[in-house]
Amino acid sequence: DGGITQSPKYLFRKEGQNVTLSCEQNLNHDAMYWYRQDPGQGLRLIYYSQIVNDFQKGDIAEGYSVSREKKESFPLTVTSAQKNPTAFYLCASSADKSSYNEQFFGPGTRLTVL
Amino acid sequence: SQQGEEDPQALSIQEGENATMNCSYKTSINNLQWYRQNSGRGLVHLILIRSNEREKHSGRLRVTLDTSKKSSSLLITASRAADTASYFCATDDSSVNNDMRFGAGTRLTVKP
């Protein structure tokens, strides 16, 4: 059963804490992405990775960090430097970063800062 | 920055009617994709249309692309209640490493 999974589904964080969101895929995809979605808005790119041990900033990378130590995994850390982290976070993957490839999305993690 | 902008923001129709959503974008593209999102879930790819194509069909979906007007439309024929979702267009931004740019989406409600 191939796909992309995210955990947890819901996450609550106190102000000032770092928190890590998990993203795993077994599609053998090279490229992975993290997006942020706010109510009534589209997706904004946080970070992407085209290959293991390499990643690039997207439009809104400030306050976030990522790692890509394994092909299957692309965790996102929301740091205390992110001023407004409450949002819906979506992870995606594609065969490679060619824009002709469809992106496969995980079910998302809803992060709430208390 | 968001490349695609969908219109209308929200659309409510009766089951059996057709639904048309539009997308406009700003820069040159290689392709345009449409995705669907059920409430609180991830996005699901529907269809991709290349810049040299004008129309594409997939089941009850029909997508058109007019590169001269920098616009695309998604038509869902004979809509069903299960089509209720948000629909997003996404374009590749050749000015930024072909990053995909998503619009804010059209929220479609199909009433039974």
Side-chain angles (χ1 to χ4, degrees), chain A residues 34-92:
Chain A
W34 274 105
Y35 293 93
R36 171 182 171 138
Q37 185 177 31
D38 292 282
Q41 297 191 33
L43 278 63
R44 291 184 289 168
L45 182 64
I46 304 172
Y47 268 99
Y48 67 90
S49 168
Q50 298 189 68
I51 198 168
V52 173
N53 292 324
D54 181 70
F55 48 83
Q56 305 294 329
K57 293 181 179 180
D59 295 327
I60 55 166
E62 185 174 350
Y64 300 98
S65 66
V66 293
S67 63
R68 186 88 186 276
E69 297 176 0
K70 298 187 300 180
K71 188 174 185 178
E72 304 79 21
S73 179
F74 190 41
L76 172 75
T77 297
V78 184
T79 75
S80 55
Q82 170 50 235
K83 299 304 178 190
N84 185 21
T86 294
F88 190 51
Y89 290 87
L90 287 161
C91 179

Side-chain angles (χ1 to χ4, degrees), chain A residues 9 35 37 40-45 48 58-59 88 90 97 99-108 110, chain B residues 1-2 30-31 33 35 37 40-45 48 50 88 92 96-105:
Chain A
K9 187 170 183 178
Y35 293 93
Q37 185 177 31
Q41 297 191 33
L43 278 63
R44 291 184 289 168
L45 182 64
Y48 67 90
D59 295 327
F88 190 51
L90 287 161
K97 199 175 176 288
S99 61
Y100 293 100
N101 288 318
E102 68 175 276
Q103 294 188 13
F104 292 79
F105 283 81
R110 188 167 299 280
Chain B
S1 60
Q2 288 183 327
N30 295 310
N31 67 70
Q33 302 184 36
Y35 286 81
Q37 183 182 34
R41 308 288 292 273
L43 278 69
V44 175
H45 183 263
L48 179 152
R50 296 175 182 246
F88 296 88
D92 59 321
V96 192
N97 301 316
N98 291 326
D99 287 352
M100 294 299 290
R101 294 279 184 262
F102 290 81

Side-chain angles (χ1 to χ4, degrees), chain B residues 4 10 12 31 34 36 44 47 50-51 69 75-76 79 87 91 99 102 106-107:
Chain B
S12 181
N31 67 70
W34 284 92
R36 165 197 168 122
V44 175
I47 199 165
R50 296 175 182 246
S51 60
K69 295 181 180 178
L75 168 68
I76 303 175
S79 63
Y87 293 83
T91 54
D99 287 352
F102 290 81
T106 291
R107 174 68 189 168

